[in-house]
Amino acid sequence: MSVLQQPPFPSPVSIVPDTEGLAKISFIGTRAFLLEAPGDFDLPNQRRIWALTRALETHSDVAEIVPGMTNLLVMLKATPDDPDAVVRQLHEEWRRAKGIDLAGRQIEVPVTYGGEHATDLPALCNLSGLSDREVVRIHHEGIYRVFALGSAPGFGYLHGLDPRIHMPRKTVPSLKMARGCVTIGGMQTGVAVLTGPNGWNSIGFAELQMFDPEAATPALMAPGDTVRFRPERIEL
Amino acid sequence: MIEIIETGPLNTVQDLGRPGYRSIGVTASGAMDPLAMEIGNILLGNPQGAAVLEVQTFPFRLCFVKGGAFALTGADCRAKLDGLALPPWWAVEAKAGQVLELFPPLRDARAYVSLAGGVDVAEVMGSRSTSLRGSFGGFSGRTLAAGDGIATGPVEPAHLPKGGFGVVPPAVALRDAFPVDEDGALLIRALPAGEHDLFGSDTDRFWRQPWKISARSDRTGYRLSGDPIHPVEVLEMRSHGVVPGVIQVPPAGEPIVQMSDANTAGGYPKIAGVIEADLWRMGQARIGSTLRFVPATHAEARAIEKALAAYVEDIRITARLVSKALAAMA
């Protein structure tokens, strides 16, 4: 996790936690609890998730915390005797969590938009009613924030996708999508880090090493980082 | 030191896994049946988390280049040491040059070969488990192949009875804690998860019908076939962390149970989550076999965990006593 510091980029002067909204908390098996923030899929909510991650890291019964997209999975070391007490405690911590920002790096990702890897660009044009050129322009003009990592080693879930180019995950995943495909999954975007089955929609390709297990910091991206896509080539 | 003579695909080096890196997208991996792995290590006096060979495709043959004790746990694969039949769940000393053979098991899915001193491959991010998705860890980040020479860690001289010794397998010793349905289906206990109620009247079918484990199942997940279930409304979920045991329902309506190589995040609706104490049984469930989900509570899960812990502790004490007694006689 990155170092705490003052917001490194434009943000509201003060972040007021939504003390009214109760988080949704559910079980995955006996030891994992999923907390989902109420309200919008936005940066203020994610900042509270980051704050909650910080707060829970100090709990001795917590084995692992996996921040997601405005949600957070808490894995306990043991099955609790009183799961309701865990739920109450999580609600309490959530109420207390004030938004924090994470020191982020700026990451630029050179992209070839279109071409052989953009298998889902035509479908996205159909869905959005936009031309391929417009889709590409909207995507690379965006400024994205790494909300969380997951799904594959070093894969960053990026927030900030323009609603005009949101596109649901596929009903039938592509069986062998290439590592490096620049993809859209619902309201999220990212760069595939492994070749394999993938339910997201590919619109381009980026040549970038996102993960090295031998490195001191194996993942290139970290929550809080800012990502821009630079169109190196556009093949339409 | 051992050498692999013959192996099917997908056999790997595994330990208790690589927890702690889910937040950067790294799967924990680890043995599909950690209970069998743990008992193999106890029989040899290995550290609890020593790496072992997980064998899920057969036949599998290896040669002991140097002598050394080994243990076989998990699926009974009618093992032979230099042609001589070995009982399942057994530990014994092998002499240099002896050949161990494992054949396809008649029931259960995975056998574990534990070696005195543990499999000595480099730790990557704190674990010796093979990450097949990430191509790192284990033996060169890949599955085992004929000709692979595998080192073992330093060992104290083994004190095993002549002819070896073994334990009663957990499925037998803990029959009451791990029941099987009258029709032979494995009963797997689970807790309702986040989107359970979104499946409306289909939830009933989820809990009642026997699900068959499809051929498209592996260490990452088990795909179940049966009468599909569908949510009452389609939900585009925000990606969130998942763990082994989560039962997700993709749009086609046939559930997927995430296993040891589980994705670290997902977005499909979750109908339920398998309790921790039943995961090892899932790890031994075979393709083509059926299972039925049984609603459980945290309290029940705790009770089963206690029964399991008592079984393991009993073996640990006995193994230590046997070893001590033999050391004193030696």
Side-chain angles (χ1 to χ4, degrees), chain A:
Chain A
M1 200 66 57
S2 306
V3 180
L4 269 177
Q5 68 164 49
Q6 289 304 306
F9 75 75
S11 62
V13 178
S14 65
I15 299 157
V16 183
D18 170 21
T19 44
E20 299 300 307
L22 213 54
K24 177 186 168 189
I25 296 172
S26 53
F27 306 142
I28 302 182
T30 43
R31 297 184 191 177
F33 293 72
L34 181 67
L35 178 143
E36 295 169 86
D40 291 335
F41 180 55
D42 58 14
L43 190 55
N45 250 330
Q46 192 65 14
R47 286 186 174 133
R48 280 185 75 191
I49 290 292
W50 291 337
L52 181 63
T53 303
R54 275 297 157 114
L56 294 175
E57 272 168 352
T58 59
H59 288 218
S60 59
D61 54 344
V62 170
E64 210 168 325
I65 302 170
V66 189
M69 303 294 266
T70 67
N71 55 52
L72 173 154
L73 184 79
V74 186
M75 297 171 68
L76 301 181
K77 288 175 184 160
T79 301
D81 274 321
D82 184 358
D84 294 338
V86 177
V87 171
R88 279 196 301 275
Q89 200 180 9
L90 286 173
H91 277 306
E92 181 54 34
E93 291 282 7
W94 172 250
R95 267 194 297 276
R96 247 185 286 171
K98 303 240 185 336
I100 57 163
D101 216 328
L102 299 171
R105 298 195 306 147
Q106 305 265 354
I107 297 172
E108 196 179 72
V109 182
V111 181
T112 298
Y113 282 103
E116 57 167 332
H117 291 292
T119 46
D120 306 298
L121 188 54
L124 180 49
C125 291
N126 284 342
L127 183 79
S128 61
L130 298 165
S131 73
D132 48 9
R133 240 159 241 293
E134 286 171 307
V135 169
V136 166
R137 186 180 54 76
I138 292 167
H139 189 264
H140 79 69
E141 281 181 357
I143 301 172
Y144 302 94
R145 203 74 196 278
V146 181
F147 265 24
L149 267 62
S151 175
F155 178 77
Y157 285 102
L158 306 182
H159 173 264
L161 188 67
D162 190 302
R164 286 175 291 171
I165 55 171
H166 287 182
M167 187 175 186
R169 296 176 182 86
K170 292 181 215 181
T171 319
V172 181
S174 308
L175 277 182
K176 224 176 155 90
M177 189 177 284
R179 182 185 110 167
C181 281
V182 175
T183 54
I184 289 173
M187 46 191 129
Q188 311 165 133
T189 185
V191 182
V193 296
L194 294 174
T195 297
N198 198 316
W200 289 27
N201 307 281
S202 179
I203 61 167
F205 188 79
E207 194 73 63
L208 195 64
Q209 176 80 21
M210 310 283 269
F211 186 79
D212 175 5
E214 307 288 349
T217 308
L220 171 74
M221 292 184 181
D225 288 351
T226 304
V227 175
R228 284 169 184 271
F229 293 101
R230 179 164 54 79
E232 202 164 41
R233 274 203 316 207
I234 300 182
E235 297 176 11
L236 300 172

